[in-house]
Amino acid sequence: MVADPSLLLQGGFFVVLLTAVSAWDICKRIVPDLLCLCIVLTALLDFTPEKLLGLIPSFVLLSAALLWGGMGGGDIKLMAASGLVLGFYNGMTALVAGLILLLLFHALCFIIQKLRGRTVPRAYPLAPFLSIGCLAAYFLF
């Protein structure tokens, strides 16, 4: 079985761009618009109209940000751009996987910091967790 070259190219760009977004968010706590735009352009390599439904998972993040706050707009834009690559089902899978990873990471940090007698961080960069979820959804499903 031979893989479609456009999917291989898209997958390669997706890995590089999500890695860059994650590193940027970890270092500077911002998701650059240019990287999100590049992910949107990557979506064009294998675009179908059904992939527009991949924008729906970003509305879940937007709703959460509007209701509870504490989330930047860059994370929402990242999920919207990634949703265009992934489509609806893989986009939802990516969102849920990323948020579960964040919860597991926070629980681990909470336990370690409590054992050390230190305060627990209140905020983490979300893009790395969403990126891992997106990559898992892209390559595994």
Side-chain angles (χ1 to χ4, degrees), residues 98-133:
L99 293 176
I100 287 172
L101 285 171
L102 173 63
L103 288 173
L104 292 173
F105 182 79
H106 175 70
L108 184 62
C109 285
F110 182 84
I111 291 167
I112 291 170
Q113 296 299 350
K114 285 297 181 181
L115 289 174
R116 290 181 174 175
R118 297 182 183 163
T119 59
V120 181
R122 296 190 64 204
Y124 303 98
L126 183 56
F129 300 100
L130 292 176
S131 294
I132 292 169

Coordinates of all heavy atoms in Angstrom, one line a residue, residues 98-133:
G98 N -6.1 16.1 24.1 CA -5.2 17.1 24.6 C -5.6 17.6 26.0 O -4.8 17.8 26.9
L99 N -6.9 17.7 26.2 CA -7.4 18.1 27.5 C -7.2 17.1 28.6 O -6.9 17.4 29.7 CB -8.9 18.5 27.5 CG -9.2 19.8 26.6 CD1 -10.7 20.1 26.5 CD2 -8.4 21.0 27.1
I100 N -7.3 15.8 28.2 CA -7.1 14.7 29.2 C -5.6 14.7 29.5 O -5.2 14.5 30.7 CB -7.5 13.4 28.6 CG1 -9.0 13.3 28.6 CG2 -6.9 12.2 29.4 CD1 -9.6 12.1 27.9
L101 N -4.7 14.9 28.5 CA -3.3 15.0 28.8 C -3.0 16.1 29.7 O -2.1 16.0 30.7 CB -2.5 15.1 27.5 CG -2.3 13.9 26.6 CD1 -1.7 14.3 25.3 CD2 -1.5 12.9 27.3
L102 N -3.6 17.3 29.5 CA -3.4 18.4 30.4 C -3.8 18.1 31.9 O -3.1 18.4 32.8 CB -4.2 19.6 29.9 CG -4.2 20.9 30.9 CD1 -2.8 21.4 31.0 CD2 -5.1 21.9 30.3
L103 N -5.0 17.4 32.0 CA -5.4 17.0 33.4 C -4.5 16.1 34.0 O -4.2 16.2 35.2 CB -6.8 16.4 33.3 CG -8.0 17.4 33.0 CD1 -9.3 16.7 32.7 CD2 -8.1 18.4 34.1
L104 N -4.0 15.1 33.3 CA -3.0 14.1 33.8 C -1.7 14.8 34.2 O -1.2 14.5 35.3 CB -2.7 13.0 32.8 CG -3.9 12.1 32.5 CD1 -3.6 11.1 31.4 CD2 -4.3 11.3 33.8
F105 N -1.3 15.7 33.4 CA 0.0 16.5 33.7 C -0.2 17.3 34.9 O 0.6 17.4 35.8 CB 0.3 17.4 32.5 CG 1.6 18.2 32.7 CD1 2.8 17.6 32.5 CD2 1.5 19.5 33.1 CE1 4.0 18.3 32.7 CE2 2.7 20.2 33.2 CZ 3.9 19.6 33.1
H106 N -1.4 18.0 35.0 CA -1.7 18.8 36.2 C -1.7 17.9 37.5 O -1.2 18.3 38.5 CB -3.0 19.6 36.1 CG -3.3 20.4 37.3 ND1 -2.6 21.5 37.7 CD2 -4.3 20.2 38.2 CE1 -3.2 21.9 38.8 NE2 -4.2 21.1 39.1
A107 N -2.4 16.8 37.4 CA -2.5 15.9 38.5 C -1.1 15.5 39.0 O -0.8 15.5 40.2 CB -3.3 14.7 38.2
L108 N -0.2 15.1 38.0 CA 1.1 14.7 38.4 C 1.9 15.9 39.0 O 2.6 15.7 40.0 CB 1.9 14.2 37.1 CG 3.3 13.7 37.3 CD1 3.2 12.4 38.2 CD2 3.9 13.3 36.0
C109 N 1.8 17.1 38.4 CA 2.5 18.2 39.0 C 1.9 18.5 40.4 O 2.7 18.9 41.3 CB 2.3 19.5 38.1 SG 3.3 19.4 36.6
F110 N 0.6 18.4 40.6 CA 0.0 18.7 41.9 C 0.6 17.7 42.9 O 1.0 18.2 44.0 CB -1.5 18.5 41.7 CG -2.3 18.7 43.0 CD1 -2.6 20.0 43.3 CD2 -2.6 17.7 43.9 CE1 -3.3 20.3 44.5 CE2 -3.3 18.0 45.1 CZ -3.6 19.3 45.4
I111 N 0.7 16.4 42.6 CA 1.2 15.5 43.6 C 2.6 15.8 43.9 O 3.0 15.8 45.1 CB 1.0 14.0 43.0 CG1 -0.5 13.7 43.0 CG2 1.8 13.0 43.9 CD1 -0.8 12.4 42.2
I112 N 3.4 16.0 42.9 CA 4.9 16.2 43.1 C 5.1 17.5 43.9 O 5.9 17.5 44.9 CB 5.6 16.3 41.8 CG1 5.7 14.9 41.1 CG2 7.0 16.9 41.9 CD1 6.2 14.9 39.7
Q113 N 4.4 18.6 43.6 CA 4.6 19.8 44.3 C 4.1 19.8 45.7 O 4.7 20.3 46.6 CB 3.9 21.0 43.6 CG 4.4 21.3 42.2 CD 5.9 21.7 42.2 OE1 6.5 21.9 43.3 NE2 6.5 21.7 41.1
K114 N 3.0 19.0 46.0 CA 2.5 18.9 47.3 C 3.5 18.1 48.2 O 3.7 18.4 49.4 CB 1.1 18.2 47.3 CG 0.0 19.1 46.9 CD -0.2 20.3 47.9 CE -1.3 21.2 47.5 NZ -1.4 22.3 48.4
L115 N 4.1 17.0 47.6 CA 5.0 16.3 48.3 C 6.3 17.1 48.7 O 6.9 16.9 49.7 CB 5.5 15.0 47.5 CG 4.4 13.9 47.4 CD1 4.9 12.8 46.4 CD2 4.1 13.3 48.7
R116 N 6.6 18.0 47.8 CA 7.8 18.9 48.0 C 7.4 20.1 48.9 O 8.3 20.9 49.3 CB 8.3 19.4 46.7 CG 9.0 18.4 45.9 CD 9.5 19.0 44.6 NE 10.3 18.0 43.9 CZ 10.8 18.2 42.7 NH1 10.6 19.4 42.1 NH2 11.4 17.3 42.1
G117 N 6.1 20.3 49.2 CA 5.7 21.4 50.0 C 5.7 22.7 49.3 O 5.8 23.8 49.9
R118 N 5.5 22.7 48.0 CA 5.5 23.9 47.2 C 4.1 24.2 46.7 O 3.2 23.3 46.7 CB 6.5 23.7 46.0 CG 7.9 23.6 46.4 CD 8.8 23.5 45.2 NE 10.2 23.3 45.6 CZ 11.1 22.8 44.7 NH1 10.8 22.6 43.5 NH2 12.3 22.6 45.2
T119 N 4.0 25.4 46.2 CA 2.7 25.7 45.6 C 2.5 25.1 44.2 O 3.5 24.9 43.5 CB 2.5 27.2 45.5 OG1 3.5 27.8 44.7 CG2 2.5 27.9 46.9
V120 N 1.3 24.8 43.8 CA 1.1 24.2 42.5 C 0.8 25.3 41.5 O 0.2 26.3 41.7 CB -0.2 23.3 42.6 CG1 -0.5 22.7 41.3 CG2 0.0 22.3 43.7
P121 N 1.5 25.2 40.3 CA 1.2 26.2 39.2 C -0.3 26.3 38.9 O -1.0 25.3 38.9 CB 2.0 25.6 38.0 CG 2.9 24.6 38.5 CD 2.3 24.1 39.8
R122 N -0.7 27.5 38.6 CA -2.1 27.8 38.3 C -2.4 27.7 36.8 O -3.6 27.5 36.4 CB -2.5 29.1 38.8 CG -2.4 29.1 40.4 CD -3.0 30.4 40.9 NE -4.4 30.3 40.7 CZ -5.2 31.4 40.6 NH1 -4.7 32.6 40.9 NH2 -6.5 31.3 40.4
A123 N -1.4 27.8 36.0 CA -1.7 27.9 34.5 C -0.5 27.2 33.8 O 0.6 27.2 34.2 CB -1.8 29.3 34.0
Y124 N -0.9 26.5 32.7 CA 0.0 25.8 31.8 C -0.2 26.3 30.4 O -1.4 26.6 30.0 CB -0.1 24.3 31.9 CG 0.0 23.7 33.3 CD1 -1.2 23.5 34.0 CD2 1.2 23.4 33.8 CE1 -1.1 22.9 35.3 CE2 1.3 22.9 35.1 CZ 0.1 22.6 35.8 OH 0.3 22.1 37.1
P125 N 0.8 26.2 29.6 CA 0.5 26.5 28.1 C -0.3 25.3 27.6 O 0.0 24.1 27.8 CB 1.9 26.5 27.5 CG 2.8 25.9 28.5 CD 2.2 26.0 29.8
L126 N -1.4 25.6 26.9 CA -2.3 24.6 26.4 C -1.9 24.0 25.0 O -2.1 22.8 24.7 CB -3.7 25.2 26.3 CG -4.8 24.2 25.9 CD1 -4.9 23.0 26.8 CD2 -6.2 25.0 25.9
A127 N -1.2 24.8 24.2 CA -0.8 24.4 22.9 C -0.1 23.1 22.8 O -0.3 22.2 21.9 CB -0.1 25.5 22.1
P128 N 0.9 22.8 23.7 CA 1.6 21.5 23.6 C 0.7 20.3 23.8 O 0.8 19.3 23.1 CB 2.6 21.6 24.7 CG 2.8 23.0 25.0 CD 1.5 23.7 24.7
F129 N -0.3 20.4 24.7 CA -1.2 19.3 24.9 C -2.2 19.2 23.7 O -2.4 18.0 23.3 CB -2.0 19.6 26.2 CG -1.1 19.7 27.4 CD1 -0.7 20.9 27.9 CD2 -0.5 18.5 28.0 CE1 0.1 21.0 29.0 CE2 0.3 18.6 29.1 CZ 0.7 19.8 29.6
L130 N -2.7 20.3 23.2 CA -3.5 20.2 22.0 C -2.7 19.6 20.8 O -3.3 18.9 20.0 CB -4.1 21.6 21.7 CG -5.1 22.2 22.7 CD1 -5.5 23.6 22.2 CD2 -6.3 21.3 22.8
S131 N -1.5 20.0 20.7 CA -0.6 19.5 19.6 C -0.4 18.0 19.7 O -0.5 17.3 18.6 CB 0.7 20.2 19.6 OG 0.6 21.6 19.3
I132 N -0.2 17.5 20.8 CA 0.0 16.1 21.0 C -1.3 15.4 20.6 O -1.3 14.4 19.9 CB 0.4 15.7 22.4 CG1 1.8 16.2 22.7 CG2 0.3 14.2 22.7 CD1 2.3 16.1 24.1
G133 N -2.5 15.9 21.1 CA -3.8 15.4 20.7 C -4.0 15.4 19.2 O -4.5 14.4 18.7

